[in-house]
Amino acid sequence: MAPLSPMEMTHEISMDQMGKYTLRWTPGEDDIIFEVHVATKGYIGIGFSTNGGMKGSDVIIGGVDDATNEVYLTDRYATGNTVPQVDASQDVKLLGGYQNTTHTSLRFSRKWNTCDDKEDLELSKEDTVRLIWAYGAADPKNKDPMAISYHSQRGSKSIYLNEPRLQLPKMSADIKSWEIRSPNVQLPDNLTTLYWCKLFKIPRLTRKTHVIGYVPVISDDNIQHVHHILLYECHLPESEGYYEKWVDVDGAQCFSANMPVSWRYCNSPLVAWAIGGEGNFAPDNVGFPLGEEHGGATYFMMEMHYDNPNLRKGVVDNSGLRIYYTENLRQYDAGILMTGHKVTPMQIIPPRQQWFSVGICEAYDCFFKTSPETGINVFAGILHSHLLGRNITLRHVRDNKELPVVLRDLNYDFNFQETRNLKNELKVKRGDYLITECGLDSTARSKATFGDAEMLEDASRKWLESSA
């Protein structure tokens, strides 16, 4: 069978840790076109799940029959950890497929909302979507759709299906780059997950400078291990006395007893990148100032999340970020406004509960004291919670009337945090309110969860759980 006809796709991501399962897609107004390229001559599975699990998920299984070269594709639903049932309504459209000596490739389309409420999930254009994937070594026996062997590989991945593709700005001669990389971190071969933090100091500057964007710099050998990267501004009075001595240190396990206490004040995120992301750039008229004397930060902490599910030995990584900056100042300074529920020991989440926390950024304290009379323009945001977080909504109120929701993710995943660019800049005026609503799920916990210490250690707790 001939290869698929060329079709440019707007997005591409490796679903597994070994580069054997590649997903490409293009979101449209009514539907999405998908392509999967997998290192197997058997079947391919991809599904949409509310929590990353099999039960209740919406599954698509396809492949190329070895005997007849016939391409097959079926729309299914999963009732548990068993072979998914075939839907009564087939709501995926096969657009082509082929198989060679090593790989199977399929192209198909699927509507955002198939109107099949019983057996399909509606795909969100705004929320995190959890994809589940699998593949097997053999096709269904005798073309029986239920005679599918147990998958040889499987996993899950959280993504934004409808995120616009990165548009790189024109790189003029005045734009410089600053690379910050992990100091050849050696991944333990007895742990599946590692969070590593390292402190950095900005380049020497001669005058005020603007950061305009970033791209990830991932080692080709370690694409399967680098899960996400966060870059935080560090803010303490007379910061040099706290942070300068740590710049030449290789780093420490994040939020562990070995991490210096001062690093916990590195908590204003400037960059949030997750696997599959291409980077992010500010609008052409906006830049983030560098240096405390210019209203920015002089010291930054980079948090690297590594995965090593196969416990590979000898993995050493120096991945990181390339930050772009310029002395040709943009029209406006950008800053970071953090709004939400303050993390303190007084925030107590009882066990076995679906909980709801609300943080109100009220007009006077939040805006009037610090914002200009003309207000501020919001062009992007990062939704952030901890391990108990399940959904986040940022609301906007003016003159006692609620305006359109600013940001929302009803399927939040702690392990997937990326900058969300607003389609239209939001004007926040003096007198406005911003209300952050966080849905939390403690049903799996037998003890109360306290803010501050316990929530700051969510990352290390996840690391410890993975090593158990």
Side-chain angles (χ1 to χ4, degrees), residues 63-359:
V64 179
D65 187 88
D66 289 333
T68 65
N69 269 347
E70 180 183 356
V71 183
Y72 60 91
L73 192 76
T74 52
D75 185 10
R76 301 169 179 245
Y77 65 97
T79 58
N81 294 324
T82 184
V83 177
Q85 302 293 311
V86 178
D87 286 9
S89 175
Q90 291 292 298
D91 297 308
V92 292
K93 182 180 180 181
L94 178 64
L95 301 177
Y98 74 98
Q99 182 174 282
N100 58 25
T101 57
T102 61
H103 283 67
T104 299
S105 299
L106 299 171
R107 181 185 294 161
F108 57 92
S109 65
R110 197 261 197 201
K111 290 186 178 297
W112 293 96
N113 183 5
T114 66
C115 297
D116 182 0
D117 297 334
K118 293 182 179 179
E119 298 171 335
D120 287 344
L121 295 179
E122 180 178 352
L123 301 183
S124 174
K125 292 185 177 182
E126 298 179 353
D127 305 327
T128 298
V129 175
R130 286 177 170 84
L131 299 180
I132 58 175
W133 59 268
Y135 60 91
D139 297 304
K141 295 180 180 179
N142 301 319
K143 297 185 179 181
D144 181 355
M146 299 306 293
I148 297 179
S149 61
Y150 190 74
H151 41 66
S152 54
Q153 297 289 337
R154 66 181 178 88
S156 64
K157 180 82 64 182
S158 290
I159 61 174
Y160 299 133
L161 284 174
N162 201 39
E163 190 70 11
R165 190 174 185 178
L166 174 68
Q167 297 293 324
L168 291 173
K170 184 178 180 180
M171 292 297 176
S172 53
D174 63 286
I175 297 177
K176 301 178 182 180
S177 64
W178 168 39
E179 285 199 3
I180 53 177
R181 289 173 171 258
S182 289
N184 292 320
V185 174
Q186 183 165 351
L187 274 60
D189 57 18
N190 61 341
L191 299 173
T192 59
T193 298
L194 175 69
Y195 287 79
W196 192 259
C197 286
K198 169 78 173 77
L199 220 68
F200 296 89
K201 186 178 182 179
I202 63 175
R204 186 181 299 275
L205 305 176
T206 59
R207 60 191 178 94
K208 185 175 179 178
T209 300
H210 273 161
V211 169
I212 62 170
Y214 77 93
V215 295
V217 183
I218 311 299
S219 169
D220 290 340
D221 295 335
N222 295 327
I223 291 175
Q224 68 268 39
H225 297 296
V226 182
H227 184 278
H228 76 242
I229 307 173
L230 296 172
L231 184 66
Y232 296 98
E233 291 184 341
C234 301
H235 291 291
L236 276 175
E238 301 179 354
S239 64
E240 183 177 0
Y242 291 97
Y243 298 118
E244 182 66 27
K245 60 187 174 183
W246 300 114
V247 171
D248 294 327
V249 175
D250 285 344
Q253 180 197 333
C254 301
F255 309 113
S256 69
N258 293 327
M259 192 180 92
V261 174
S262 60
W263 293 21
R264 298 196 177 201
Y265 292 88
C266 305
N267 54 20
S268 297
L270 179 66
V271 169
W273 174 88
I275 186 169
E278 300 173 287
N280 195 266
F281 283 81
D284 292 340
N285 61 342
V286 170
F288 291 87
L290 278 178
E292 294 174 0
E293 66 274 27
H294 301 301
T298 299
Y299 298 91
F300 289 83
M301 184 182 75
M302 184 171 70
E303 174 189 310
M304 300 285 295
H305 174 188
Y306 291 107
D307 279 336
N308 190 15
N310 300 311
L311 301 178
R312 287 181 57 196
K313 298 180 182 295
V315 178
V316 178
D317 182 70
N318 69 342
S319 300
L321 300 166
R322 182 178 299 121
I323 309 295
Y324 291 93
Y325 64 96
T326 179
E327 293 181 347
N328 185 12
L329 297 180
R330 302 292 180 86
Q331 183 179 2
Y332 299 109
D333 280 352
I336 300 168
L337 172 68
M338 296 183 68
T339 177
H341 195 293
K342 188 175 182 180
V343 180
T344 73
M346 298 304 294
Q347 183 184 17
I348 304 173
I349 304 167
R352 314 294 187 192
Q353 297 286 324
Q354 298 281 350
W355 199 252
F356 195 66
S357 292
V358 177

Side-chain angles (χ1 to χ4, degrees), residues 34-52:
F34 291 99
E35 275 187 13
V36 287
H37 303 272
V38 184
T40 183
K41 294 186 69 177
Y43 71 87
I44 299 170
I46 186 167
F48 314 102
S49 172
T50 58
N51 56 13

Side-chain angles (χ1 to χ4, degrees), residues 374-386:
T374 56
I376 60 174
N377 296 319
V378 179
F379 59 87
I382 301 173
L383 296 173
H384 175 73
S385 183
H386 294 258

